[in-house]
Amino acid sequence: MGSEMCIRDRRYELSPGTYDLITFEPMLVKYLKVIFRSEGRVEFSTPKLLDDTYPDRQLCTFDSSDGELNLIYEGARRTLRLNTLDIFMDCPQRERGGWLCDAQFTAPGAWMMLGNLEVEKDFIENFMLTRPEDYKEAFFPEVYPGSPRIEKSPGIQSWSFWLLTQFWDYVHRSGDQIFMEQCFERIRALLDAVSDHLGTSGLFENFDILFVDWSLSNAECCLQPISIPVNCLIVLAYERMGELYQVERWKRLGEKVRTRIEEVMEQTRGDSDGYRYEDGRWIGNGCRTETGLALEFWCGFHQNDKELIRRFTEEMGTAPKYRPDPNLGRSNLFIGLMIRFEVLAKLGKLQTLFRELKDVYLPQIVQGPGTFYEGIQDQSGCHGFNANAGAMIVNHAAGLGQPMQISRTVKIAPHPGELLWASASAVCEDGPIFLSWQADHQDHVLDMELLVPEGWKPELELPFELAGWKIFLNGKEL
C-alpha cells in the first residue's frame, strides 16, 4: 500500500482440532502471509476475503477516449465504496467516523457514481438530531459518532457551515421538502447563535477551532482573530439557508457581511488570510494562501477580477503553467485542492482541471492501492472526499451534470477538448439518465444522444469552444 504499507500480526495458539478463523482488518488488504509453527500436521484451506464495500448496482457509469480519466474515475469509485457504509466515512483504515466537511465532497460522488441519496440523508440526519444545548453556541459536532474534546465543545466549528452548504445541495439533489422542514429548528439554533460572533469589524471573529486546509492556511495567523476565507464560508451558509427557508434576517445578514468582506478586500488588496481590526484599521497577519483564495472563489468572491482569475488558473495548483509566487502558501489535497478543482470547473478552466486531476491522482494509482490519498504525499491512503473527483469527471468531461430532483432538471454541457467520445449514465427518482457523444474535430461535428425520464428537462449549455460546430441531439441539428 505504498508508503502506508503496514504489517499486522494475528497470533493464535490452537489445540488440535478444526477451526474457522475470521479477522477484521481496518486496513486495506494487499498481501496475506501465513506462518505455521507446529510439530504436527496442518491442513490449511484457501483463505477468502469477505468484501464489505458498499454495494454497486452499476447503474451509473463513465467511459471516454481518455484512458487516464477513466482510471481516475475508477479510483474515485473504489475510494467511495470503501468509505460508504451507514454514513460517509473519513477512511476505512484509520478512522471510520463521519466527519463534516469531508461529506460536502463525498456526497456528489455517491450521487453521480452510485445513484444513491440514502447514505447522505442518514449522514445529515445524524447531525440534525443532535441537541443544540449539548454543544457550545448550538454548533454541530465535528464528527459522528464522537465525543467533545472538552465539555460542550463541538470541535472544529467552521465545519458546521460545510454541513449547511451540503444540506443545501442535498435538498436540490433530492427535492426532499419534508426533511428540509424537519431540520429547520436545528439550523435556526446554530445560525441565530453564530450571529453573536459579529464584531466591531463587521465580520465574524473569535471562534475557538477553525479549519481550512492541511497546509499553511491552518496556521493560527491565517485563522485568528478574523479569517476572511472562513467569513466567506459563513456568508454563503447564511445566504443559502436564507434562500432555502425564506428567512429574511439570514438573507440580510449574509448580504451585509458579503458587502463588508468586499470592502475589506478592496482596502487591503487581499494580502492576508487572517487579520486583526484595531482602531478602525485592518492589520494583516502576513500569510496568504492558495486555499484561502480558493475558498473565497468557491463562495462567490473575486468573480470579476480577471487578473486574479488568470493568476489562480496559471500560477497556482500542483502543475502551474508559470512560476508560482513563493510567498503564497501552497494547498494540500484535503481540502484545498478539492476546492480548487471545483473552482476551476466553475470558471470553465476545464483543461487545467483535467491536467491537475491527472497530476495529483495518476501517481497515487500507480504507487498506491488503487485508492486516493488524504494528502499529496499520503497521511491516509483511502480518503472518502476524493469521490468528488469521479463526480467532476462525469460532470465536466462527459458533460452530464448532477440530476436535480427538486426541479427535475439536469445540466448537459459537453466539453470535448481533446476527447473523441464520452458516455455517462446516472439515475434519479424517476429513472435513468444517459448521455453519449462523439466529436469529429476535423469537420467540427458533435453528435449527442440523450435520454432523460418523462417530465425532466435537460438544460443544454454549449461551451464557447463549440462555436461554429454542427451540434446534433438525438439525430436533430440544434
Side-chain angles (χ1 to χ4, degrees):
M1 219 172 66
S3 60
E4 204 181 82
M5 173 94 75
C6 181
I7 297 175
R8 295 259 177 155
D9 286 339
R10 289 290 182 269
R11 298 174 183 268
Y12 298 96
E13 295 184 8
L14 304 174
S15 301
T18 301
Y19 296 89
D20 292 320
L21 304 176
I22 299 178
T23 179
F24 172 78
E25 295 294 342
M27 303 288 290
L28 301 176
V29 176
K30 193 170 186 179
Y31 303 108
L32 177 65
K33 183 178 182 179
V34 181
I35 300 174
F36 295 101
R37 293 187 176 91
S38 174
E39 295 180 356
R41 180 169 174 266
V42 176
E43 292 184 9
F44 181 65
S45 60
T46 304
K48 295 181 181 180
L49 182 65
L50 303 177
D51 185 352
D52 195 35
T53 53
Y54 196 79
D56 184 357
R57 296 181 293 165
Q58 296 291 321
L59 298 176
C60 303
T61 60
F62 169 82
D63 200 7
S64 77
S65 59
D66 188 326
E68 293 180 332
L69 285 180
N70 298 345
L71 280 174
I72 295 171
Y73 174 83
E74 291 302 327
R77 192 185 193 101
R78 191 178 303 114
T79 302
L80 170 66
R81 291 185 65 201
L82 285 165
N83 282 285
T84 305
L85 200 59
D86 57 332
I87 55 175
F88 297 131
M89 299 186 298
D90 176 281
C91 50
Q93 75 275 34
R94 189 185 65 198
E95 52 186 298
R96 291 176 294 284
W99 288 81
L100 297 180
C101 180
D102 299 52
Q104 165 72 48
F105 305 99
T106 311
W111 187 217
M112 294 306 304
M113 293 189 286
L114 300 178
N116 184 297
L117 289 172
E118 295 174 2
V119 176
E120 181 178 16
K121 182 176 181 178
D122 289 345
F123 179 95
I124 295 172
E125 187 175 44
N126 284 330
F127 288 94
M128 293 296 177
L129 289 175
T130 59
R131 300 193 309 168
E133 61 269 23
D134 287 345
Y135 295 94
K136 182 180 178 181
E137 296 168 332
F139 276 95
F140 295 98
E142 62 187 354
V143 61
Y144 185 92
S147 58
R149 303 182 186 186
I150 56 177
E151 186 178 3
K152 291 201 171 184
S153 169
I156 299 171
Q157 292 165 301
S158 53
W159 282 7
S160 286
F161 305 110
W162 284 115
L163 175 62
L164 299 189
T165 59
Q166 180 196 352
F167 180 66
W168 188 88
D169 290 341
Y170 169 78
V171 171
H172 286 77
R173 280 192 280 264
S174 67
D176 193 341
Q177 302 280 349
I178 295 176
F179 183 57
M180 183 189 84
E181 294 302 329
Q182 290 172 344
C183 297
F184 173 75
E185 285 301 326
R186 184 63 181 88
I187 293 172
R188 181 197 60 76
L190 168 66
L191 292 184
D192 286 353
V194 168
S195 63
D196 291 338
H197 278 271
L198 270 178
T200 57
S201 65
L203 300 186
F204 298 99
E205 53 188 79
N206 295 316
F207 294 96
D208 295 334
I209 307 174
L210 301 176
F211 180 97
V212 174
D213 175 52
W214 284 131
S215 69
L216 179 63
S217 63
N218 253 27
E220 186 174 358
C221 63
C222 292
L223 299 175
Q224 297 292 349
I226 302 172
S227 166
I228 297 297
V230 171
N231 264 269
C232 293
L233 179 61
I234 298 173
V235 163
L236 186 64
Y238 272 101
E239 290 173 339
R240 288 189 171 179
M241 293 302 100
E243 176 191 334
L244 200 63
Y245 290 109
Q246 291 301 302
V247 177
E248 291 301 321
R249 67 180 183 278
W250 295 347
K251 291 182 182 179
R252 289 194 300 269
L253 183 56
E255 181 180 355
K256 176 182 176 182
V257 180
R258 180 176 287 273
T259 300
R260 181 57 171 159
I261 292 173
E262 290 172 344
E263 292 172 354
V264 175
M265 288 176 173
E266 184 176 350
Q267 293 171 17
T268 62
R269 298 184 179 180
D271 59 0
S272 182
D273 284 15
Y275 288 89
R276 290 175 288 127
Y277 185 70
E278 297 178 359
D279 301 323
R281 295 173 54 247
W282 291 95
I283 303 172
N285 292 344
C287 291
R288 191 59 165 139
T289 69
E290 289 186 6
T291 300
L293 182 58
L295 184 52
E296 292 165 14
F297 268 114
W298 195 87
C299 295
F301 292 85
H302 310 301
Q303 301 302 298
N304 298 318
D305 192 332
K306 294 183 179 179
E307 173 57 19
L308 188 57
I309 291 173
R310 185 201 64 78
R311 287 174 48 212
F312 180 82
T313 304
E314 299 181 351
E315 299 178 9
M316 302 179 197
T318 63
K321 184 177 180 181
Y322 300 112
R323 178 179 179 270
D325 183 348
N327 296 312
L328 194 65
R330 308 297 293 275
S331 293
N332 206 339
L333 183 48
F334 184 79
I335 55 173
L337 289 177
M338 189 59 72
I339 297 173
R340 173 179 172 81
F341 295 155
E342 289 204 350
V343 172
L344 289 173
K346 290 178 182 179
L347 294 174
K349 308 296 183 180
L350 297 185
Q351 297 313 307
T352 302
L353 169 64
F354 298 147
R355 183 176 72 247
E356 294 191 9
L357 287 175
K358 293 178 181 182
D359 185 69
V360 170
Y361 290 118
L362 289 178
Q364 297 181 15
I365 290 175
V366 172
Q367 300 167 12
T371 53
F372 294 148
Y373 301 169
E374 177 181 20
I376 289 295
Q377 300 302 324
D378 210 337
Q379 294 175 309
S380 159
C382 182
H383 215 275
F385 79 105
N386 288 296
N388 197 33
M392 284 190 287
I393 287 174
V394 175
N395 296 159
H396 306 296
L400 177 60
Q402 288 193 48
M404 296 297 179
Q405 191 73 39
I406 194 170
S407 57
R408 284 182 165 79
T409 59
V410 59
K411 181 178 176 181
I412 305 297
H415 289 263
E418 299 177 355
L419 295 177
L420 301 177
W421 58 269
S423 66
S425 60
V427 294
C428 63
E429 185 178 304
D430 302 306
I433 300 172
F434 175 78
L435 171 68
S436 69
W437 52 260
Q438 292 183 329
D440 185 331
H441 292 269
Q442 183 172 349
D443 293 332
H444 300 104
V445 176
L446 183 72
D447 191 2
M448 296 186 292
E449 292 185 12
L450 175 65
L451 170 69
V452 297
E454 184 177 353
W456 276 66
K457 178 184 177 182
E459 297 181 337
L460 192 61
E461 185 177 294
L462 298 178
F464 178 77
E465 68 184 88
L466 293 177
W469 282 49
K470 287 187 177 181
I471 312 294
F472 293 88
L473 177 60
N474 294 338
K476 296 182 180 180
E477 185 173 0
L478 298 179

